[in-house]
Amino acid sequence: MDLHFTIVAVLACFIINVEALFPKDQSIDLVFPPRSRRSATGLPDGHLRPLGWQRKPQGKVIEQSEEMDAETFWTDHVQPKVPLVLRDGYNQSSEIFTTWDDNYLKSQYGDIMVDVTTKRPGSIIEPQVMKLKKFLKRYNLEDWYLVSPVPDEMLHAIPMVRSLMCGTFEKFLQEVEIWMSSGGTSTKLHYDPDHNMHCLVSGRKDFILYSKEHADIFDFEHDEMEGRGESKIDPEMVNMFEHPKIARTPWTWTTLKPGDCIFIPAGHLHQVRSYGRSLSFSTLWTPQDTFNSTGCEEVKNVTDCSTAEQHYFVWKLEDGQRIVNRENFTTDPEIFRHHLYSLLRDDIKLYRERFFTYYEKVRDEESKEKKMTPHAAFRQIDLKKRNYITGEEIAKLAPKLIERVVKKFIRPGHAAEREQSHRDEL
């Protein structure tokens, strides 16, 4: 009996391991939106089916096939937070489109450290840092997907959508992210704190979108400090007895093909399904109440779109970790004021807790050694001592105060000189 049990256990382990290494389905020819039918069983329509089966969509996301200037984009879509699909929305002759197959990525960027997330049924495991070549060798076999800021070495290959190259959009760029997966993957229904221009390079992506006013119907958990939220409902198996209102909630949809982009406004609920070898990138920028069109007239006359390498982003990737971009901090402390605006987004108040998270990522090692606390740093800018500051108060912070906070709390002493000295010695 013991021998029999041992043999069965060994075979079970072998089968499990074989299944774990089985290549994923790369097919991209699926029907979407689903052709939902009335239930003949007496069960609610779409019960225990994926999100989207519960009722027919209201229609497609608005599409645009012609290039849109920044001011029109702001007036028609960004300010009113109306999603938009740009068909052939970016330069398909760029390097990311023409040469970024797996072999090229391994040979050119394989030693770069990236943040890889493991997805399991019903949960997401904490990400792990690994070399890009390791991810590329196994992502077709493992439950891995890549989502992280684009490494500096790869930014030159990421084209910018022309509408984002000027004015308020260009000034408040947050980060550019790379997304990569293999086989069918799906996200939870969620919303993000920043505006998002998501562009597909290869594979296929289906989007389901709901207005944020419907968040309560989907049992959302809200992270007020980070400004994001996620539904607790399993999007692959919706229980309609527990959530009957979904059958009456309107939604829109779109399918992206390579070369297409979708604008998803901050706060807009969306769920995404990816198929095949899916490679895409997102350009994120901070919501603002008003639009400044500085430089937009010049952009209209530019024949070649710029790349992400030519623009400043608040966040970057360093040794596989997402960190605050401290480039030019010592020579231009006003960048700190820009970061405060980025943290505020389109909220009325920037509470200290959101600042604390940012501060832990932006301060250097000397600041940590000297135990410069986030409380002490925030007290310098919270002049009215209310545990929050407003956009108007950020604008009025004296340049000398901004400079003092940067030098003392973020990069204290002569850190820049020491770093330059260190580089000179190498």
Side-chain angles (χ1 to χ4, degrees):
M1 181 66 69
D2 291 341
L3 179 61
H4 175 73
F5 178 80
T6 301
I7 293 173
V8 170
V10 170
L11 288 174
C13 291
F14 176 76
I15 292 171
I16 290 172
N17 288 332
V18 170
E19 289 178 348
L21 297 175
F22 195 78
K24 296 181 181 178
D25 182 7
Q26 298 297 310
S27 60
I28 62 174
D29 297 324
L30 295 94
V31 175
F32 185 80
R35 296 169 182 167
S36 55
R37 300 175 180 175
R38 300 292 299 179
S39 173
T41 63
L43 296 173
D45 294 343
H47 179 60
L48 300 184
R49 302 302 298 270
L51 192 63
W53 284 83
Q54 293 71 40
R55 61 163 288 167
K56 292 181 179 179
Q58 188 177 35
K60 297 182 72 173
V61 177
I62 297 172
E63 295 185 1
Q64 177 86 17
S65 57
E66 297 180 0
E67 188 172 304
M68 182 177 295
D69 65 83
E71 293 167 87
T72 303
F73 181 44
W74 164 263
T75 301
D76 293 352
H77 293 277
V78 180
Q79 186 180 35
K81 295 189 174 181
V82 176
L84 173 70
V85 170
L86 298 175
R87 295 297 179 193
D88 296 321
Y90 69 95
N91 181 10
Q92 296 184 41
S93 63
S94 59
E95 178 183 317
I96 189 174
F97 199 89
T98 59
T99 63
W100 274 27
D101 59 23
D102 287 1
N103 289 331
Y104 179 83
L105 291 174
K106 279 187 283 192
S107 65
Q108 298 295 314
Y109 309 112
D111 289 330
I112 294 175
M113 303 301 291
V114 293
D115 213 1
V116 175
T117 299
T118 301
K119 194 170 185 179
R120 301 293 184 197
S123 65
I124 295 179
I125 310 301
E126 287 299 315
Q128 54 180 309
V129 175
M130 66 180 65
K131 289 186 177 181
L132 179 60
K133 60 186 176 184
K134 178 180 177 180
F135 169 79
L136 292 171
K137 286 178 181 178
R138 297 186 62 85
Y139 79 112
N140 188 33
L141 305 172
E142 305 280 0
D143 267 332
W144 288 352
Y145 67 92
L146 173 65
V147 52
S148 78
V150 176
D152 287 350
E153 299 92 329
M154 303 166 77
L155 285 172
H156 70 277
I158 308 296
M160 292 290 293
V161 173
R162 190 183 299 271
S163 302
L164 304 181
M165 290 168 51
C166 66
T168 302
F169 301 143
E170 197 272 343
K171 182 178 180 181
F172 286 99
L173 292 171
Q174 279 285 302
E175 64 185 296
V176 56
E177 293 178 333
I178 184 171
W179 294 73
M180 195 169 187
S181 63
S182 182
T185 62
S186 67
T187 70
K188 290 286 192 71
L189 184 66
H190 65 285
Y191 66 86
D192 299 305
D194 298 309
H195 294 316
N196 180 1
M197 183 68 77
H198 189 92
C199 299
L200 187 66
V201 177
S202 64
R204 164 183 164 170
K205 286 198 172 186
D206 296 337
F207 289 77
I208 291 176
L209 292 92
Y210 295 89
S211 296
K212 191 176 180 179
E213 64 193 58
H214 301 304
D216 290 344
I217 293 173
F218 293 95
D219 196 12
F220 259 74
E221 288 184 325
H222 303 278
D223 186 337
E224 300 295 344
M225 287 302 103
E226 292 296 323
R228 56 174 47 89
E230 183 178 88
S231 171
K232 291 185 285 186
I233 297 175
D234 181 353
E236 299 305 312
M237 190 177 292
V238 179
N239 189 321
M240 290 302 293
F241 288 105
E242 295 180 359
H243 309 285
K245 292 183 179 180
I246 293 178
R248 302 190 297 275
T249 306
W251 58 284
T252 56
W253 69 279
T254 192
T255 293
L256 296 191
K257 67 179 188 301
D260 295 338
C261 302
I262 181 172
F263 163 59
I264 304 174
H268 210 88
L269 312 184
H270 58 286
Q271 195 245 344
V272 189
R273 297 182 181 126
S274 304
Y275 303 98
R277 176 190 181 269
S278 177
L279 174 63
S280 58
F281 63 92
S282 289
T283 305
L284 308 176
W285 70 99
T286 307
Q288 296 292 308
D289 291 331
T290 58
F291 181 69
N292 183 318
S293 62
T294 301
C296 291
E297 197 61 37
E298 291 82 349
V299 168
K300 292 179 183 178
N301 302 319
V302 174
T303 55
D304 297 323
C305 285
S306 62
T307 67
E309 185 182 40
Q310 299 166 275
H311 299 268
Y312 175 83
F313 295 88
V314 173
W315 298 92
K316 63 181 296 184
L317 193 72
E318 187 173 285
D319 295 329
Q321 301 292 330
R322 180 177 181 265
I323 66 167
V324 174
N325 187 354
R326 293 186 298 193
E327 183 180 345
N328 299 329
F329 241 122
T330 52
T331 58
D332 184 12
E334 280 294 314
I335 289 176
F336 178 64
R337 192 193 308 270
H338 166 72
H339 285 196
L340 293 177
Y341 279 124
S342 297
L343 291 171
L344 180 66
R345 302 187 179 98
D346 56 359
D347 294 333
I348 297 174
K349 302 172 183 178
L350 169 57
Y351 286 96
R352 63 178 185 175
E353 287 81 7
R354 185 180 291 178
F355 174 84
F356 290 170
T357 301
Y358 158 84
Y359 179 74
E360 291 298 340
K361 293 180 179 294
V362 73
R363 63 185 180 138
D364 73 355
E365 290 304 316
E366 185 179 353
S367 174
K368 296 175 182 177
E369 291 172 4
K370 292 191 174 182
K371 299 181 180 179
M372 298 294 187
T373 68
H375 301 271
F378 192 74
R379 281 200 300 270
Q380 301 297 308
I381 58 177
D382 180 17
L383 302 180
K384 296 184 179 180
K385 310 306 177 189
R386 297 173 302 185
N387 296 325
Y388 68 83
I389 55 175
T390 65
E392 184 178 354
E393 290 165 354
I394 293 173
K396 291 180 178 179
L397 291 174
K400 287 292 185 181
L401 172 60
I402 291 286
E403 184 177 359
R404 184 169 71 250
V405 172
V406 169
K407 287 185 175 181
K408 182 176 182 180
F409 291 92
I410 296 175
R411 299 177 65 87
H414 301 284
E417 287 80 356
R418 285 199 309 278
E419 288 177 2
Q420 182 61 52
S421 175
H422 176 67
R423 286 194 294 270
D424 292 341
E425 292 172 2
L426 295 178

